[in-house]
């Protein structure tokens, strides 16, 4: 019987080639979209799943409460790793990870060569006990026990030393210590919230000579005992914090710990499961930008909706052919076929169509994977989709889609009464009519929702790019790793400033949009109330180069001794309580030149207009800007404002000057406006994916609408002929036939509009500075949906209106 089903099904599919092709294309596009998103979601969900004992590893993070705000940090004071292990027996082991510059370049000297390497971290000797990375050479319990030792990954060791055994070899960090290679570990898995190429011992880098329970520096991971409860451990943390931090708070802030807390301050530590960090953690000082659980959820829903729209499309197209199959059903029932046998026959056809669609979908995924990787900023491969483990799932999914899409047409066709259909008298039931219309409404409602989402995301990103930021980001080149210039920094800046295409050069520890702004606390002299904000260090030309406006006072200048001067932004001046801050003195307990040193008093010399030093997700907070003459370390970055004409030529000249000072180190640069745009990478990914899938959803929905139009017009063939005989015009008939479909699209718009408003309002809540949802966004989505639907239906309507009435009446 199954062979007979397959033979008849293949014969029917081959007989109606055009209809078969439309069905396969519609389902294949839906499946391909679904498979691409499945690859994306599977990749996102795979992060940190490979670690042994991963379910027992947690990261200790900090919610730092200030009198006027709350900030959350992925890094915590370095001394807590030992303190909590000592105080809480449920913790089996701890380890710290110091991430130097989030994959910033590090210069190494090896055999007379100067090499630029990335992925440099300092870790405790217990790292391999918490994260069980296999060591290919060396001993995991001894590799990092001594100061100035380092473990290399297998690929890094091969790149640096070739086939030579690297154990015992020495790497020298430029302007840093010499490191002995004591181990080679396996390459880290790409899908982890941190990766590395070098693991150096913290004994050569971390300053552990004095307890530090209040300044943040280390990513700290805990391996819990198998019977430990994370919530019970977290409940013990406040007592540990008060025990170890109280004395440091009193020494640094001049007040008892409990008074400090009553003033609105606080340190609230919490545990993050390792396997949820990538999608759920978006704290300050993350190792790298994490993914988004929201995006994963949204894309999963989109995948389901697009596939469902494709199934609905198949249903409508199959229903549109019901009149062609009706006589076949009547004859087969007259010859003894049961309803179940006929339903099985039609389901076999739909499953075959679904399997053919799967083959086409896999081919489409192979073709579209590279553009999709660019779209989603991923490195997905087809191998994870077509292996022996996933193949049964793909086949099972295709069969399930075939059964889902074919269930309604199979039920409708197999239920025809043979006497009526053989006499040519059959009609759609009211329930069937409502169901088909409801499916079309659902398709277009989803399409309108996706169009609105695309428009809103595009508008918000455009707002971000156009918003006044408080500085001019265009025509600014950012040079990083300039601290390697050391004492030649000033000479380098002067040479660059003399270039014809350069207007000014400034130095800074951090530029707007990056994570280099450090935390710092100030209080007015004679008062205990403090204001905590962000800080940065700049030179005398920085404000001019960034084109920032001074509201009061002056910028830093070589004409004055500004080593103990500070410039506030408007928010800092407001929170610290100054109406006229110029000349006032404020004191910081954070001695930035000497760890644990005495508090430092600064004089306010200027107030700069508020500018966005972070993304528009956060409101502008207090910012304290110090002068670089206070510090022996030189500027980490240089900003070079150039004339817009021929920036490439200017950059080439800057590179020539750089090579004279640092011939062995390549120059690292970026454009500030591009860096600012990159802050919104996840939003850009969402915009692109929303746009692509909105177009695909509209396309598939229109195919379904085309199927319904074919079905309805076929049912009304006689009516059309009679109306033409009675004098109806072609435009009148087109309007008559299109009107009902237009109603369905309008109903879809009415349903989708409040849903889209709610969803996008919640998305915009993630921005401190955002657009307002405007009526035109929903009107544009509705106009596009109506216009595309009318074009789709009009083709069939005009074709029916032009038909000879004689032919129309004869068909009945």
């Amino acid at each position: 019987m199954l062979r007979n089903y397959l033979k008849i099904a293949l014969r029917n599919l081959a007989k109606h080639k055009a209809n078969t092709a439309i069905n396969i294309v519609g389902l294949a596009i839906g499946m391909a979209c679904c498979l691409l998103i499945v690859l994306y979601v599977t990749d996102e969900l795979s992060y940190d799943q490979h670690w042994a004992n991963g379910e027992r590893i947690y990261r200790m993070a900090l919610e730092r409460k200030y009198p006027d705000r709350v900030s959350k940090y992925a890094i915590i004071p370095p001394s807590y790793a030992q303190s909590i292990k000592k105080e809480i027996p449920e913790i089996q082991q701890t380890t710290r990870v110091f991430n130097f510059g989030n994959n910033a370049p590090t210069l190494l000297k090896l055999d007379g060569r100067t090499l630029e390497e990335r992925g440099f971290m300092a870790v405790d000797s217990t790292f391999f006990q918490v994260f069980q990375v296999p060591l290919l050479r060396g001993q995991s319990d001894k590799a990092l026990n001594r100061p100035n030792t380092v473990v290399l990954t297998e690929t890094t060791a091969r790149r640096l030393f070739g086939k030579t055994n690297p154990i015992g070899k020495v790497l020298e960090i430029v302007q840093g210590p010499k490191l002995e290679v004591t181990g080679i570990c396996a390459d880290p898995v790409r899908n982890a919230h941190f990766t590395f190429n070098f693991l150096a011992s913290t004994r050569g880098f971390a300053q552990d000579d004095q307890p530090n329970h209040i300044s943040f520096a280390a990513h700290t991971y805990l391996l819990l005992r198998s019977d430990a409860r994370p919530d019970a451990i977290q409940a013990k943390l406040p007592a540990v914090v008060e025990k170890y931090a109280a004395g440091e708070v009193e020494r640094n802030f001049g007040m008892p710990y409990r008074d400090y807390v009553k003033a609105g301050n606080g340190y609230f530590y919490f545990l993050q499961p390792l396997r949820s960090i990538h999608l759920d953690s978006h704290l300050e000082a993350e190792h790298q930008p994490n993914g988004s659980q929201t995006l994963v959820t949204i894309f999963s829903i989109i995948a389901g909706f697009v596939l469902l729209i494709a199934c609905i499309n198949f249903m409508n197209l199959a229903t549109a052919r019901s009149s062609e199959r009706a006589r076949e059903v009547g004859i087969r029932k007259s010859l003894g076929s049961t309803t179940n046998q006929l339903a099985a026959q039609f389901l076999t056809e739909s499953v075959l169509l679904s399997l053919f669609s799967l083959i086409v979908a896999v081919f489409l995924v192979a073709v579209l994977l590279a553009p999709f990787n660019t779209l989603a900023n991923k490195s997905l491969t087809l191998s994870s989709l077509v292996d022996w483990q996933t193949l049964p799932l793909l086949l099972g999914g295709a069969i399930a889609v075939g059964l889902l899409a074919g269930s309604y047409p199979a039920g409708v066709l197999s239920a025809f009464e043979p006497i009526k259909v053989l006499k040519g008298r059959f009609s759609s039931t009211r329930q069937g009519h409502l169901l088909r219309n409801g499916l079309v409404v659902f398709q277009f409602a989803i399409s309108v929702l996706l169009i609105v989402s695309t428009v809103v995301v595009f508008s918000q990103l455009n707002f971000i790019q156009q918003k006044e930021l408080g500085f001019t980001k265009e025509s600014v080149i950012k040079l990083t790793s300039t601290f390697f210039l050391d004492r030649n920094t000033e000479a380098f800046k002067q040479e660059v400033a003399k270039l014809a295409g350069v207007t000014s050069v400034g130095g800074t520890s951090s530029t707007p949009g990056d994570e280099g702004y450090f935390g710092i606390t100030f209080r007015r002299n004679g008062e205990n109330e403090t204001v905590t904000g962000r800080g940065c260090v700049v030179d005398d030309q920085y404000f001019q180069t960034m084109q920032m406006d001074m509201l009061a006072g002056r910028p830093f200048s070589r004409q004055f001794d500004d080593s103990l001067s500070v410039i506030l932004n408007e928010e800092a001046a407001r929170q610290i309580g100054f109406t006229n801050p110029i000349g006032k003195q404020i004191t910081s307990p954070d001695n930035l030149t000497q760890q644990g040193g005495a508090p430092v008093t600064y004089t306010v010399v200027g107030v700069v207009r508020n500018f966005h030093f972070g993304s528009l997700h956060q409101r502008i907070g207090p910012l304290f800007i110090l002068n670089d003459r206070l510090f022996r370390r030189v500027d980490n970055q240089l900003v070079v404002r150039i004339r817009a004409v021929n920036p490439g030529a200017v950059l080439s000249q800057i590179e020539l000057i750089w090579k004279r000072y640092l011939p062995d180190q390549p120059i690292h640069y970026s454009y500030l406006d591009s860096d600012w745009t990159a802050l919104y990478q996840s939003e850009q990914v969402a915009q692109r994916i929303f746009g692509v899938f909105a177009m695909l959803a509209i396309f598939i929905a229109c195919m379904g609408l085309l199927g319904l139009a074919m079905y309805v017009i076929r049912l009304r063939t006689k009516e059309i002929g009679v109306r033409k005989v009675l004098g109806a015009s072609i435009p009148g008939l087109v309007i008559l036939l299109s009107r009902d479909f237009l109603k369905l699209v309008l109903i879809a718009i009415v349903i989708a509009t409040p849903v889209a408003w709610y969803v996008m309002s919640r998305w915009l809540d993630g921005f401190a500075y955002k657009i307002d949802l405007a009526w035109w966004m929903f009107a544009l989505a509705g106009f596009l949906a109506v216009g595309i639907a009318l074009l789709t239906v009009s083709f069939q309507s005009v074709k029916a209106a032009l038909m000879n009435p004689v032919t129309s009446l004869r068909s009945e």
Side-chain angles (χ1 to χ4, degrees), residues 91-332:
I91 297 175
Q92 179 175 326
Q93 191 54 274
T94 64
T95 194
R96 299 172 301 172
V97 175
F98 294 83
N99 187 340
F100 295 105
N102 286 337
N103 208 31
T106 300
L107 284 187
L108 301 176
K109 287 186 177 180
L110 176 65
D111 297 333
R113 298 173 295 159
T114 300
L115 307 172
E116 182 182 278
E117 296 291 336
R118 295 178 183 270
F120 195 95
M121 292 182 175
V123 300
D124 288 333
S125 60
T126 55
F127 179 84
F128 296 107
Q129 298 176 37
V130 177
F131 298 99
Q132 296 184 12
V133 181
L135 246 67
L136 309 179
R137 291 178 183 268
Q139 296 176 284
S140 60
D141 58 336
K142 297 180 180 179
L144 298 175
N145 276 350
R146 294 182 289 112
N148 300 330
T149 53
V150 65
V151 171
L152 311 180
T153 63
E154 183 180 11
T155 298
T156 302
R158 190 182 303 116
R159 184 175 64 252
L160 296 180
F161 298 99
K163 296 182 180 179
T164 305
N165 182 2
I167 301 298
K169 301 289 185 182
V170 175
L171 298 173
E172 181 182 354
I173 298 179
V174 175
Q175 298 182 16
K178 295 181 179 180
L179 304 177
E180 178 189 351
V181 179
T182 54
I184 306 299
C185 69
D187 290 337
V189 176
R190 178 183 64 85
N191 285 9
H193 77 283
F194 68 86
T195 57
F196 53 86
N197 294 319
F198 301 83
L199 295 175
S201 171
T202 52
R203 297 191 180 186
F205 290 92
Q207 296 179 343
D208 291 332
D209 52 334
Q210 294 183 355
N212 180 358
H213 293 88
I214 60 175
S215 298
F216 327 137
H219 293 265
T220 302
Y221 297 88
L222 323 177
L223 175 64
L224 308 189
R225 300 191 185 279
S226 56
D227 58 346
R229 289 175 40 238
D231 55 340
I233 293 175
Q234 189 164 311
K236 295 181 179 181
L237 293 178
V240 177
V241 171
E242 183 169 359
K243 177 178 179 179
Y244 286 92
E248 294 180 34
V249 166
E250 187 167 353
R251 284 194 302 273
N252 284 273
F253 297 104
M255 64 176 75
Y257 180 76
R258 298 199 175 180
D259 292 343
Y260 182 71
V261 172
K262 288 179 182 178
N265 300 284
Y267 302 91
F268 301 95
Y269 291 89
F270 57 96
L271 302 185
Q272 294 179 297
L274 175 70
R275 291 175 174 172
S276 70
I277 288 176
H278 176 67
L279 290 179
D280 295 334
S281 181
H282 301 91
L283 311 180
E284 296 190 42
E286 294 281 1
H287 285 290
Q288 58 192 18
N290 284 328
S292 168
Q293 182 65 60
T294 301
L295 277 184
V296 167
T297 303
I298 289 174
F299 291 164
S300 300
I301 293 172
I302 289 176
F305 278 154
V306 170
L307 185 59
L308 188 56
I309 287 174
C311 291
I312 292 171
N313 170 57
F314 176 86
M315 294 179 188
N316 281 333
L317 287 173
T319 306
R321 288 190 57 226
S322 58
S323 60
E324 299 175 18
R325 307 293 298 271
R327 197 173 298 275
E328 172 194 346
V329 171
I331 292 173
R332 293 181 67 176

Side-chain angles (χ1 to χ4, degrees), residues 398-575:
I399 292 171
V401 168
L403 293 175
L404 172 65
S407 58
Y408 172 65
V412 171
L413 292 171
S414 62
F416 283 155
E417 297 181 25
I419 296 177
K420 289 184 179 181
V421 297
L422 288 175
K423 289 183 178 181
R425 297 195 304 270
F426 70 97
S427 60
S428 174
T429 64
R430 184 172 183 273
Q431 291 83 355
H433 179 72
L434 290 175
L435 179 58
R436 283 189 296 274
N437 288 348
L439 293 177
V440 171
V441 168
F442 176 80
Q443 284 181 308
F444 273 89
I446 297 301
S447 301
V448 170
L449 175 61
L450 290 175
I451 293 174
V452 171
S453 301
T454 303
V455 172
V456 172
V457 173
F458 175 82
S459 299
Q460 176 64 16
L461 290 178
N462 186 61
F463 168 78
I464 289 169
Q465 295 303 315
Q466 301 299 324
K467 187 181 185 304
E468 173 60 45
L469 300 174
F471 61 92
T472 305
K473 66 181 184 299
E474 289 78 20
S475 300
V476 175
I477 297 175
K478 182 171 74 173
L479 305 179
T480 56
S481 300
T482 52
F483 58 86
F484 289 124
L485 289 165
D486 199 12
R487 299 187 182 278
N488 292 320
T489 300
E490 197 61 36
F492 176 82
K493 286 194 291 185
Q494 290 175 6
E495 284 200 52
V496 172
K498 292 177 182 178
L499 295 175
V502 173
T503 61
S504 61
V505 181
T508 179
S509 61
S510 50
T511 51
D514 66 30
E515 294 187 351
Y517 292 89
F518 49 83
I520 190 168
T521 299
F522 279 92
R523 66 173 181 267
R524 295 172 64 171
N525 283 4
E527 297 186 8
N528 288 331
E529 187 174 344
T530 62
V531 173
T532 301
R534 292 296 186 181
C536 67
V537 181
V538 304
D539 70 0
D540 305 325
Q541 298 299 312
Y542 179 74
F543 294 102
Q544 175 187 340
T545 304
M546 297 297 289
Q547 296 183 352
M548 296 175 176
D549 296 330
M550 299 298 298
L551 296 182
R554 61 174 178 82
F556 296 130
S557 172
R558 292 293 176 187
Q559 299 176 8
F560 302 92
D561 179 10
D562 281 329
S563 58
L564 290 177
S565 297
V566 62
I567 293 175
L568 315 179
N569 71 347
E570 293 178 83
E571 185 64 17
R574 184 190 67 80
Q575 291 193 23

